[in-house]
Amino acid sequence: MAQSAKRIVLVSRPVGEPKASDFRVEDCAIPAPGEGQVLLRTIWLSLDPYMRGRMSDGPSYAAPVPIGGVMEGGTVSEVIASNNPGFAKGDIVLSRAGWQTHALSDGKGLAKIDPKLAPISTAVGVLGMPGMTAYTGLLDIGKPQAGETVVVAAASGAVGSAVGQIAKIKGARAVGIAGGKDKCDYVKKELGFDECLDHRDPNLAAKLKEACPKGIDVYFENVGGAVFEAVFPLLNAFARIPVCGLIAHYNDTEATAPKWASALMRNVLTKRLTIRGFIVSDFAARHGDFLRDMSQWVREGKVKHREFVTEGLDSAPAAFMGLLKGANFGKQLVRVGPDKA
Amino acid sequence: MAQSAKRIVLVSRPVGEPKASDFRVEDCAIPAPGEGQVLLRTIWLSLDPYMRGRMSDGPSYAAPVPIGGVMEGGTVSEVIASNNPGFAKGDIVLSRAGWQTHALSDGKGLAKIDPKLAPISTAVGVLGMPGMTAYTGLLDIGKPQAGETVVVAAASGAVGSAVGQIAKIKGARAVGIAGGKDKCDYVKKELGFDECLDHRDPNLAAKLKEACPKGIDVYFENVGGAVFEAVFPLLNAFARIPVCGLIAHYNDTEATAPKWASALMRNVLTKRLTIRGFIVSDFAARHGDFLRDMSQWVREGKVKHREFVTEGLDSAPAAFMGLLKGANFGKQLVRVGPDKA
């Protein structure tokens, strides 16, 4: 066991893109678990775009991380000491321990992970929050029907890759958007999307129209920006738009009206569109369905996934800054500690 | 029986507000029904905001009225001659005969009205399309829960008045917006809304905030414009916005980005909003439920309604122009012919 702990705290609220100086790595003592508590050792830290929201104090669905507070985040952790009868030393758990090597917990909100069922890192990936975001947003809001067209951006990422593959399982046409040729090739050839376009392509709108000859029935919105501009005119009557993220706007320092703004509500009406924001916890009741279906699809090779790992807790700030720019290729993880201490 | 017929045709596509010269009243012979046809005499013509859309040739959910064509519209008509075994002389039917005194029909799309059950004019009002628009949009999309707050504009009109009264039946707080003191008084005192505000009030936003101390859970959108500007910041998490009309924008000649534009999608996400456009025919399967519930509520006095009648087919263009400005007070009808010829 390491003799001391480390944590990363938020030093200042980023203006625009987060920068290294917005974070600080602190050394501290490994805490001792009190009565009813467990001591957790972080193995995997998940980095996800929503964390940008937690760095700001604007109104949102969750409170911001306080200045000086440990950055929030989902982790896969090992119980290394336990005063809680519900957990034993050696248990692997899903936790929200945050950006730190060690954390205390009273056991609430911890979920045990069975390492025999799947690699434990998938508990924060394809079998965890990102996978379930894709599953519930696509199936419960998007409701793709066979023969319909589903478009999703960040298509090589943790959420987008699952969205397109589930769309294929449901018999829909899946069109992805990703950054650069390598990612597009992967999305099309490895993940089996029907088409994948580069969001940096100056002719994105025209190419998207070509890739969606029957229009767009479901647009899974996780980016906003230029992608939605290109999608908007192609939306079919009764199209559904689950909105789970707007990564293109997370660093916006001023709000500007998008091109579609003046036409949005008129199109909502004349095309009978459904636009619905959600976060994964809104569908907590679907967790059992998700785990059953998604683990089966992963076992059968129908849903593939890819991890992008940076080493050591110290790498988290830079990795997160990269994530907002699409520097990752697959689910962004930080390897904070070894599988076995 | 009148010896000749009259019809009103669209002469030109209005730019901005429709004007008298966009329409022409034409005299014509009463047509003779061919095989399988019935001859209809119009008693009531319904005027509704959606008709503004039919005058334009922009993309919409329905084809525009062709230049020189008879203006579309729902009517309550009497069968005055029948070569169709499904209909007898004297039958009263709901039809889409349009802005004319007489029309032929092959019987398709006609629905018989039983004059014993309710005044026949209600078939194009509270028990017809406007009532069902309120019923389905509010209940199937808005889904108001007891204790929630529902806001609707054009609250003294055919749709808005039903929305607020159904909201009250479901135990919600109903806040209306209408034009002028008389309408507001009627909405509050006669219809039993909890509050009604004048949309011309320069302090609308502040007054609306006061009238909705717990925020807004359902905004039934039928107007757009300044009302939605005032509503937008008050929307609660998980608010639902059924969109059935945008009357404030129907005469827009240029599209300008509304104030909420740059913040819309971010709010959709952080507040988990649902925005969904619909037209009443999307819920055709609910017609039986609607008729059962609404006729009961009308009988019990729980849903009151008010008609605003202009006399004679010739009055239709001016009445329609007035409707777009809120000159009507209640459901706008044109008395085209007497109940009994």
Side-chain angles (χ1 to χ4, degrees):
Chain A
M1 196 193 298
Q3 290 309 297
S4 73
K6 263 201 272 195
R7 60 191 178 207
I8 298 181
V9 302
L10 186 66
V11 173
S12 47
R13 306 217 173 275
V15 178
E17 288 184 17
K19 45 192 192 311
S21 61
D22 293 323
F23 307 94
R24 184 174 59 228
V25 183
E26 295 182 345
D27 291 304
C28 51
I30 297 173
E35 195 174 328
Q37 290 188 322
V38 296
L39 173 61
L40 301 173
R41 176 185 70 84
T42 306
I43 300 171
W44 294 105
L45 167 64
S46 175
L47 294 181
D48 302 278
Y50 76 83
M51 292 168 171
R52 178 64 183 84
R54 299 291 201 283
M55 298 174 190
S56 299
D57 55 5
S60 186
Y61 50 81
V65 173
I67 294 297
V70 176
M71 272 301 304
E72 284 181 27
T75 66
V76 175
S77 302
E78 182 189 13
V79 174
I80 55 173
S82 177
N83 293 330
N84 183 314
F87 298 90
K89 194 161 175 294
D91 280 353
I92 304 295
V93 295
L94 177 65
S95 164
R96 292 200 54 78
W99 297 24
Q100 52 188 346
T101 58
H102 297 77
L104 294 177
S105 165
D106 61 5
K108 279 186 199 136
L110 297 188
K112 286 187 203 177
I113 297 168
D114 184 347
K116 293 191 197 77
L117 289 184
I120 58 174
S121 61
T122 59
V124 289
V126 69
L127 298 180
M129 184 276 284
M132 186 159 155
T133 297
Y135 178 92
T136 56
L138 183 66
L139 298 183
D140 292 16
I141 301 177
K143 296 176 186 157
Q145 307 298 307
E148 288 193 328
T149 298
V150 174
V151 171
V152 63
S156 67
V159 176
S161 62
V163 167
Q165 292 177 92
I166 299 171
K168 292 300 295 177
I169 290 169
K170 297 296 176 185
R173 176 176 175 81
V175 175
I177 294 162
K181 185 174 185 311
D182 286 354
K183 288 181 182 174
C184 286
D185 285 350
Y186 166 74
V187 167
K188 221 176 137 172
K189 292 172 191 164
E190 290 294 313
L191 303 183
F193 283 46
D194 296 280
E195 193 53 82
C196 190
L197 307 172
D198 191 338
H199 68 79
R200 297 163 190 154
D201 191 318
N203 296 316
L204 177 64
K207 296 241 171 101
L208 186 62
K209 190 172 179 181
E210 228 169 76
C212 303
K214 295 196 288 180
I216 297 171
D217 301 291
V218 180
Y219 171 56
F220 190 103
E221 174 65 295
N222 52 2
V223 299
V227 174
F228 189 51
E229 300 280 6
V231 162
F232 185 64
L234 303 177
L235 291 168
N236 287 334
F238 301 105
R240 288 82 67 194
I241 307 176
V243 180
C244 83
L246 295 166
I247 195 169
H249 301 285
Y250 287 172
N251 289 331
D252 283 356
T253 49
E254 57 183 58
T256 51
K259 285 187 203 153
W260 47 257
S262 60
L264 182 75
M265 291 302 268
R266 188 177 288 248
N267 276 265
V268 164
L269 175 59
T270 58
K271 292 185 176 176
R272 273 79 59 83
L273 306 178
T274 298
I275 303 175
R276 180 173 161 193
F278 75 104
I279 61 174
V280 66
S281 54
D282 300 342
F283 295 101
R286 292 272 278 152
H287 192 245
D289 298 336
F290 159 68
L291 272 187
R292 181 198 61 219
D293 290 345
M294 198 66 139
S295 12
Q296 187 183 331
W297 293 333
V298 170
R299 273 197 310 273
E300 296 173 349
K302 289 181 181 166
V303 172
K304 295 174 187 166
H305 62 107
R306 177 173 177 139
E307 295 177 343
F308 187 82
V309 177
T310 59
E311 292 296 329
L313 180 66
D314 293 13
S315 71
F320 181 74
M321 293 181 258
L323 175 68
L324 294 182
K325 296 178 198 169
N328 59 310
F329 189 164
K331 165 65 197 160
Q332 174 74 57
L333 292 168
V334 178
R335 167 66 89 169
V336 177
D339 278 9
K340 292 284 167 196
Chain B
M1 193 194 298
Q3 291 308 298
S4 74
K6 263 201 270 196
R7 61 190 177 207
I8 298 181
V9 301
L10 186 66
V11 173
S12 48
R13 303 214 174 279
V15 177
E17 288 185 17
K19 43 191 193 310
S21 60
D22 293 323
F23 306 94
R24 185 173 57 228
V25 183
E26 294 182 345
D27 291 305
C28 51
I30 296 172
E35 196 174 328
Q37 289 188 323
V38 297
L39 174 61
L40 300 174
R41 175 184 72 83
T42 306
I43 300 171
W44 294 105
L45 166 64
S46 174
L47 295 180
D48 302 278
Y50 76 83
M51 293 168 169
R52 179 64 185 84
R54 299 290 201 284
M55 298 174 190
S56 298
D57 55 6
S60 188
Y61 50 80
V65 172
I67 294 298
V70 176
M71 272 302 302
E72 284 180 28
T75 66
V76 175
S77 301
E78 182 188 13
V79 175
I80 56 173
S82 177
N83 294 329
N84 183 314
F87 298 90
K89 191 160 176 297
D91 279 354
I92 304 296
V93 294
L94 177 65
S95 164
R96 292 200 53 79
W99 297 24
Q100 52 188 346
T101 59
H102 297 77
L104 294 177
S105 165
D106 62 5
K108 278 186 199 136
L110 296 189
K112 285 188 205 177
I113 296 168
D114 183 346
K116 292 190 200 78
L117 288 185
I120 58 174
S121 60
T122 58
V124 289
V126 69
L127 297 179
M129 183 276 284
M132 185 158 156
T133 297
Y135 179 91
T136 56
L138 183 66
L139 298 183
D140 292 17
I141 301 177
K143 296 177 185 154
Q145 307 299 305
E148 289 192 329
T149 298
V150 174
V151 172
V152 63
S156 66
V159 176
S161 63
V163 166
Q165 291 177 93
I166 299 171
K168 290 300 295 177
I169 289 169
K170 297 296 175 184
R173 177 176 174 82
V175 175
I177 293 162
K181 184 173 184 313
D182 286 355
K183 288 182 182 174
C184 287
D185 284 351
Y186 165 75
V187 167
K188 222 176 136 172
K189 292 172 192 165
E190 290 295 313
L191 303 183
F193 283 47
D194 296 281
E195 193 51 84
C196 190
L197 307 172
D198 190 338
H199 67 80
R200 296 164 193 154
D201 191 318
N203 297 317
L204 177 64
K207 296 242 173 98
L208 186 63
K209 191 172 178 182
E210 228 169 77
C212 302
K214 295 196 290 180
I216 297 171
D217 302 292
V218 180
Y219 172 55
F220 190 102
E221 172 65 294
N222 53 3
V223 299
V227 174
F228 189 52
E229 300 280 4
V231 162
F232 185 63
L234 302 177
L235 291 168
N236 286 333
F238 301 106
R240 290 81 67 195
I241 307 176
V243 180
C244 83
L246 294 166
I247 195 169
H249 301 284
Y250 288 171
N251 289 331
D252 283 357
T253 50
E254 56 183 58
T256 50
K259 284 186 205 152
W260 47 257
S262 60
L264 183 74
M265 291 302 269
R266 187 177 290 246
N267 276 266
V268 163
L269 175 59
T270 57
K271 291 185 176 176
R272 272 79 60 81
L273 306 178
T274 297
I275 303 174
R276 180 173 161 194
F278 75 103
I279 61 174
V280 66
S281 54
D282 300 342
F283 294 100
R286 292 272 278 151
H287 191 245
D289 297 335
F290 159 67
L291 272 186
R292 181 199 60 218
D293 290 344
M294 199 65 140
S295 10
Q296 187 184 332
W297 293 333
V298 169
R299 272 197 310 274
E300 296 173 348
K302 289 181 180 166
V303 172
K304 295 175 187 166
H305 62 106
R306 178 174 175 138
E307 295 177 344
F308 186 82
V309 177
T310 59
E311 293 294 330
L313 181 67
D314 294 13
S315 71
F320 181 74
M321 293 182 259
L323 175 68
L324 293 183
K325 296 178 196 169
N328 59 309
F329 189 164
K331 165 65 196 161
Q332 174 73 57
L333 292 168
V334 177
R335 166 67 88 171
V336 178
D339 278 11
K340 292 283 166 195

